[in-house]
Amino acid sequence: MIRAGIVGSGIGLKHFNAINNYRESKVVCILEKNKKKAKLLKKKYKDVKIVTDEKVFFKDKNLNLISIASYDEYHFQQILKSINNNCHVIVEKPVCLDKSQLKKIKEALEKNPKIKFISNLVLRENELFKKIKNKINLKEVYHIDASYLWGRREKLFQWRSKTKNYSLTLGATIHILDLVCWMLESMPISVVAKTNNKITKKTKFKKFSFASYIFTFPNNVIASLKADAVCTHPHFHELKVFQKNQTFISNLNGQFEIKRAIGNHYKITNKNYEYPDKKNRKKLIQKFIDAILDKTVTTISKKSIFDLMTACFYADLSEKKGKELKINYLK
Ligand SMILES: NC(=O)c1ccc[n+]([C@@H]2O[C@H](COP(=O)([O-])OP(=O)(O)OC[C@H]3O[C@@H](n4cnc5c(N)ncnc54)[C@H](O)[C@@H]3O)[C@@H](O)[C@H]2O)c1
């Protein structure tokens, strides 16, 4: 039986809905540091223990799964505390905020190999992206162009403005980079990043709010990615996958599959796959619970999560150094 604790009641409540009553799972406790919010939670979830004290929460021996959806800066310590309490861990992206933290998390998980660990990389459960992945011919793909059009500018001015190491790469790009790595079944070899803050420079958000990256994958497959936190555009994950004789496109105009007909003539087919497909987002967490209960492997390996985080850290380092960097993954 799963007895879960949730940290944070923003997106954490989506974790709650994914976990509670799924197979043999119950959410038994929520940690919410905001006292006003905690009070409201007590009224809404009468059967769930609501706590505001982190010490009480992470020492609760009744828990065997902890799902972390606090602000980014708390993830690192809370992952270590969850492992110390012998709990499986779900953590929102980003897992942590720098490479030294990532190494410590990796070491702690290696010392406790029975603990299952996953980060909530929800795009992998999206019907549209699954369909495209299934159609990709890895021998023929040469370029992927993906943009995370965030369309939620105001969110930059809440906790994200106060978090010291907050980065748009770790907050947004990570989702589309994960999508591309999953589709290409490989990790990038190098990265170069360019950014600006033209739209936010007079605001309290002091980091870059637009970023463009070139990730080079094995066999010189190029991924051009963009993360745009300030765009005047609905929240959207744009994707174009280019292969020798076929192109897949998803943008605001729709979803298209283009095939070469004769010469420079093309056959364009409209597709109608589910997007944003929010109902399937629960599946990532629920498959993780399946892996715990059925004692099987998780859908996303620990290694692929560490590698994804490492690639993001190198992207930010490339931005700081102003040059292309080879990515050295953790051994
Ligand atoms: N996977 C996704 O698609 C996705 C989407 C949105 C947010 N996120 C991630 O989820 C996390 C939370 O973001 P959000 O949008 O829910 O923010 P939010 O501000 O809506 O909610 C966060 C809640 O957590 C509480 N909280 C923060 N730190 C805490 C701590 N140390 N202990 C207890 N409670 C704490 C806050 O009081 C707040 O109620 C961030 O890491 C963010 O990057 C992921």
Side-chain angles (χ1 to χ4, degrees):
M1 154 130 202
I2 300 286
R3 294 175 310 277
I6 307 267
V7 186
S9 66
I11 195 117
L13 294 184
K14 304 263 186 228
H15 296 207
F16 183 101
N17 292 335
I19 298 170
N20 203 36
N21 294 329
Y22 177 70
R23 291 184 62 183
E24 302 145 43
S25 316
K26 280 275 170 220
V27 173
V28 293
C29 191
I30 300 177
L31 169 66
E32 172 52 68
K33 70 173 186 163
N34 179 315
K35 294 207 165 113
K36 270 194 198 153
K37 284 193 180 179
K39 225 174 176 181
L40 292 174
L41 290 170
K42 273 184 194 164
K43 278 193 191 148
K44 190 172 169 193
Y45 301 101
K46 296 220 160 51
D47 303 335
V48 181
K49 196 161 85 177
I50 310 294
V51 298
T52 52
D53 184 346
E54 189 165 316
K55 280 191 205 124
V56 174
F57 179 86
F58 286 102
K59 288 205 169 125
D60 187 344
K61 292 291 167 208
N62 189 32
L63 301 177
N64 55 15
L65 167 66
I66 292 181
S67 203
I68 302 169
S70 51
Y71 302 144
D72 297 359
E73 68 194 277
Y74 300 111
H75 294 179
F76 168 60
Q77 282 298 341
Q78 291 179 340
I79 290 168
L80 295 185
K81 286 176 187 170
S82 306
I83 297 172
N84 267 339
N85 198 26
N86 214 15
C87 290
H88 300 292
V89 184
I90 299 165
V91 62
E92 262 311 333
K93 40 55 49 177
V95 167
C96 57
L97 291 175
D98 65 48
K99 214 170 155 188
S100 73
Q101 292 181 344
L102 190 68
K103 273 189 185 161
K104 285 181 188 143
I105 293 168
K106 185 170 177 282
E107 282 160 18
L109 286 168
E110 280 166 358
K111 275 190 201 148
N112 297 275
K114 283 194 180 149
I115 288 184
K116 292 195 188 287
F117 177 81
I118 206 166
S119 188
N120 200 26
L121 301 160
V122 287
L123 296 185
R124 291 186 185 217
E125 289 300 335
N126 184 288
E127 194 209 338
L128 162 70
F129 299 134
K130 278 181 164 177
K131 294 274 187 206
I132 293 178
K133 176 177 166 57
N134 284 338
K135 287 174 178 232
I136 288 180
N137 179 342
L138 290 176
K139 286 197 182 122
E140 301 211 330
V141 63
Y142 61 94
H143 174 210
I144 296 188
D145 186 319
S147 296
Y148 192 168
L149 300 165
W150 209 36
R152 293 174 177 167
R153 196 186 293 184
E154 69 291 347
K155 285 201 169 197
L156 291 178
F157 312 125
Q158 302 164 358
W159 59 267
R160 289 171 178 86
S161 287
K162 296 181 200 143
T163 302
K164 193 170 151 250
N165 283 348
Y166 179 80
S167 120
L168 189 63
T169 309
L170 295 170
T173 318
I174 191 165
H175 276 304
I176 46 167
L177 178 60
D178 180 57
L179 191 68
V180 170
C181 298
W182 172 66
M183 286 184 170
L184 292 176
E185 297 176 10
S186 57
M187 293 306 297
I189 292 165
S190 65
V191 56
V192 57
K194 281 270 190 185
T195 64
N196 75 28
N197 67 344
K198 188 168 175 189
I199 306 301
T200 45
K201 73 174 170 233
K202 290 190 182 147
T203 71
K204 62 179 175 179
F205 184 74
K206 295 299 171 205
K207 313 277 168 47
F208 57 84
S209 50
F210 170 79
S212 175
Y213 316 76
I214 304 279
F215 286 94
T216 304
F217 282 75
N219 299 319
N220 208 18
V221 176
I222 306 272
S224 332
L225 305 192
K226 286 176 207 74
D228 189 337
V230 288
C231 55
T232 300
H233 192 289
H235 189 80
F236 203 88
H237 307 91
E238 260 188 20
L239 181 70
K240 289 186 197 145
V241 180
F242 296 92
Q243 304 188 165
K244 191 174 173 196
N245 290 318
Q246 204 169 5
T247 304
F248 307 99
I249 296 181
S250 172
N251 60 25
L252 267 194
N253 293 324
Q255 303 161 8
F256 312 95
E257 199 174 312
I258 307 174
K259 282 191 179 158
R260 199 172 269 278
I262 303 162
N264 284 336
H265 293 279
Y266 298 97
K267 183 170 180 258
I268 303 177
T269 319
N270 287 289
K271 298 286 172 187
N272 198 15
Y273 301 131
E274 283 290 328
Y275 179 87
D277 197 19
K278 290 199 172 167
K279 68 177 188 317
N280 274 330
R281 289 196 177 174
K282 282 181 181 179
K283 280 192 183 162
L284 196 108
I285 287 180
Q286 294 180 339
K287 285 182 182 171
F288 182 70
I289 291 177
D290 291 341
I292 299 171
L293 294 175
D294 302 337
K295 299 190 169 51
T296 54
V297 290
T298 52
T299 50
I300 311 181
S301 70
K302 290 172 186 166
K303 180 176 171 10
S304 65
I305 296 168
F306 298 141
D307 286 352
L308 176 70
M309 288 298 301
T310 304
C312 287
F313 292 141
Y314 271 89
D316 279 349
L317 195 61
S318 156
E319 190 265 338
K320 277 197 192 92
K321 294 200 166 184
K323 62 177 186 182
E324 183 168 13
L325 295 177
K326 181 176 173 295
I327 303 170
N328 293 314
Y329 291 99
L330 297 181
K331 292 268 159 19

